[in-house]
Amino acid sequence: MDDQTRMLASMGGLGGLSQADVGDPDSVRKQQDIGDILQQIMAITDESLDEAQARCWPEEAPAQWTPQREGELGGSTAGCALPLNFQHRKHALNCHRMKPALFSVLCEIKEKTVLSIRGVQEEDPPDPQIMRLDNMLLAEGVSGPEKGGGSAAAAAAAAAAGGSPNDSSIEHSDYRAKLAQIRQIYHSELEKYEQACSEFTNHVMNLLREQSRTRPISPKEIERMVAIIHRKFSSIQMQLKQSTCEAVMILRSRFLDARRKRRNFNKQATEVLNEYFYSHLSNPYPSEEAKEELAKKCGITVSQVSNWFGNKRIRYKKNIGKFQEEANLYAVKTAVDAANVSAQASQANSPATPNSGGYPAPCYTPDGRL
DNA sequence: CGGTATGATTGTAT
DNA sequence: ATACAATCATACCG
């Protein structure tokens, strides 16, 4: 009680605001006291904005040739008399021995009210949308670790495998270049966002910390503010990720949809494949190893071999007649090869085609005609 | 230019 | 996961 009155007195001395009527009941008076103090604080907080503004004014104003009368404006040569006045009041408030207690009470009250208003939506789980985007960017190699030599190595490998610099490898490198471009843009934008975010966060935190000396701001509140800022920025980042994903998709559909740029396999490759097919007509299902072997021989991928056999089987079955000529041709071919291998020349039996399975064998004569 | 050949993709069943 | 069937989209050829 004593303290309070003393504080009031001192505040009153400062601002001349203490018009507390002495006749009131105690509780009411207490409330009013607190109200007054709050007003004081508010006033100082508000004014400190002006003060800050005042401080921003360049001091290059030539020294005033007519020094102002001290009594009137608080006495200062620095153009504006307000700052000192405020400094003084602020200092007095800060140094008041009731200040810490009052401050903590204010913080507590504020904590309660603020928390009850919008407290319970903490720690939202990671957005599934953003996770999806992240996964995709990672899968496309946009957001993952920089695989510096990766593209070069891949291109080299493709060139080596292809033997000749075919179109596909050229297109592949083109695709890679475009992807790298997207990747670069993505990363620079992301970096920009992150920098802006941290800068802004720092700025706000400093501001709040600065203000927390005159205004009840708990560390928790600052944390919350930071979280809000981060949420905002991450939503911006999501837009970036989304548009990057779109760009990658467009690129993919343009460059990697092989149907658009279908190339027939070269003659030798088809020959190898057909040879295998017709010499295994009873069971034209190459094993994984066989597929790999064929792929290597033909300079195509294993899945291309699989595609070829899939297409071949279905088309052969659908119209055996159409393929008979071809079948005979390759049958003879293998027969000749076999004959060449075995020293016993063309004293021909039927060639080594053990036809016993599901695919009807073409009928042919040893000389290769129907 | 139109028809066919052909490699790739998609959907479905096993 | 693999095979099959249907389909797509391009390549190729007369």
Side-chain angles (χ1 to χ4, degrees):
Chain A
M1 196 22 128
D2 189 36
D3 276 343
Q4 245 188 22
T5 47
R6 225 185 302 177
M7 178 165 79
L8 265 183
S10 106
M11 298 283 246
L14 279 171
L17 283 174
S18 150
Q19 299 142 342
D21 1 27
V22 206
D24 273 12
D26 230 22
S27 61
V28 175
R29 185 175 150 203
K30 247 191 245 173
Q31 278 191 351
Q32 202 159 0
D33 289 349
I34 290 177
D36 285 346
I37 293 166
L38 275 175
Q39 261 183 356
Q40 289 270 333
I41 293 170
M42 292 287 282
I44 284 179
T45 312
D46 284 346
E47 283 159 359
S48 69
L49 287 178
D50 297 336
E51 174 196 336
Q53 233 168 4
R55 243 184 304 162
C56 284
W57 284 110
E59 298 186 28
E60 92 254 311
Q64 301 242 320
W65 47 81
T66 51
Q68 313 203 337
R69 278 170 297 164
E70 304 241 320
E72 197 170 293
L73 284 169
S76 146
T77 50
C80 181
L82 286 177
L84 265 191
N85 194 13
F86 284 115
Q87 289 296 8
H88 181 67
R89 286 164 63 174
K90 205 161 135 187
H91 182 73
L93 187 62
N94 275 336
C95 294
H96 195 277
R97 62 196 174 94
M98 273 300 283
K99 192 237 173 190
L102 182 61
F103 195 79
S104 74
V105 168
L106 286 172
C107 280
E108 209 174 297
I109 291 169
K110 189 168 174 184
E111 187 72 17
K112 271 183 200 155
T113 52
V114 170
L115 275 184
S116 64
I117 288 169
R118 50 155 65 228
V120 208
Q121 44 152 355
E122 314 257 332
E123 302 303 318
D124 42 354
D127 188 356
Q129 169 84 355
I130 211 162
M131 278 178 69
R132 215 163 47 82
L133 292 174
D134 275 338
N135 285 340
M136 187 186 148
L137 289 174
L138 207 63
E140 295 299 332
V142 174
S143 68
E146 177 78 61
K147 32 184 178 177
S151 63
S164 60
N166 51 9
D167 295 338
S168 83
S169 81
I170 289 170
E171 241 171 66
H172 204 65
S173 71
D174 200 9
Y175 171 80
R176 294 240 158 220
K178 289 255 162 60
L179 191 66
Q181 201 179 328
I182 289 175
R183 180 196 171 90
Q184 201 229 321
I185 291 170
Y186 171 77
H187 276 107
S188 75
E189 288 295 305
L190 198 65
E191 200 180 319
K192 244 191 279 175
Y193 287 165
E194 251 148 31
Q195 198 184 335
C197 180
S198 75
E199 257 171 38
F200 189 65
T201 305
N202 272 340
H203 180 69
V204 168
M205 271 171 73
N206 285 337
L207 220 62
L208 288 178
R209 263 203 285 272
E210 154 82 25
Q211 290 209 349
S212 74
R213 276 185 285 164
T214 48
R215 190 158 83 81
I217 300 175
S218 67
K220 227 177 177 175
E221 220 179 320
I222 295 179
E223 245 171 68
R224 262 206 303 280
M225 190 57 83
V226 169
I228 287 169
I229 292 169
H230 281 175
R231 264 204 290 277
K232 283 276 179 245
F233 271 88
S234 83
S235 83
I236 295 172
Q237 275 188 13
M238 189 164 89
Q239 282 176 24
L240 171 69
K241 284 174 182 173
Q242 201 149 26
S243 60
T244 305
C245 276
E246 266 169 40
V248 171
M249 289 315 271
I250 290 168
L251 186 68
R252 263 181 89 86
S253 69
R254 277 249 306 280
F255 281 85
L256 288 193
D257 188 355
R259 282 198 295 199
R260 289 189 185 284
K261 292 279 177 189
R262 186 179 63 77
R263 291 273 103 120
N264 290 355
F265 299 152
N266 62 41
K267 200 115 178 123
Q268 185 244 344
T270 4
E271 217 153 284
V272 171
L273 292 168
N274 273 317
E275 232 168 87
Y276 188 97
F277 180 78
Y278 286 111
S279 64
H280 297 74
L281 204 52
S282 60
N283 185 34
Y285 296 88
S287 66
E288 198 56 37
E289 298 87 65
K291 279 183 193 170
E292 274 166 35
E293 175 94 19
L294 287 168
K296 213 159 115 189
K297 257 201 257 184
C298 301
I300 59 179
T301 69
V302 172
S303 70
Q304 280 178 308
V305 173
S306 296
N307 284 338
W308 190 91
F309 273 89
N311 282 322
K312 192 73 184 178
R313 281 192 299 262
I314 195 75
R315 282 162 187 168
Y316 178 82
K317 198 170 80 176
K318 226 167 169 178
N319 191 352
I320 295 171
K322 203 170 71 182
F323 286 90
Q324 281 208 345
E325 203 178 326
E326 189 179 74
N328 290 332
L329 195 85
Y330 282 99
V332 169
K333 218 172 160 61
T334 55
V336 169
D337 284 355
N340 281 346
V341 167
S342 73
Q344 276 285 342
S346 42
Q347 85 128 30
N349 257 317
S350 44
T353 0
N355 280 327
S356 58
Y359 282 84
C363 42
Y364 59 89
T365 57
D367 57 21
R369 303 180 55 226
L370 288 178

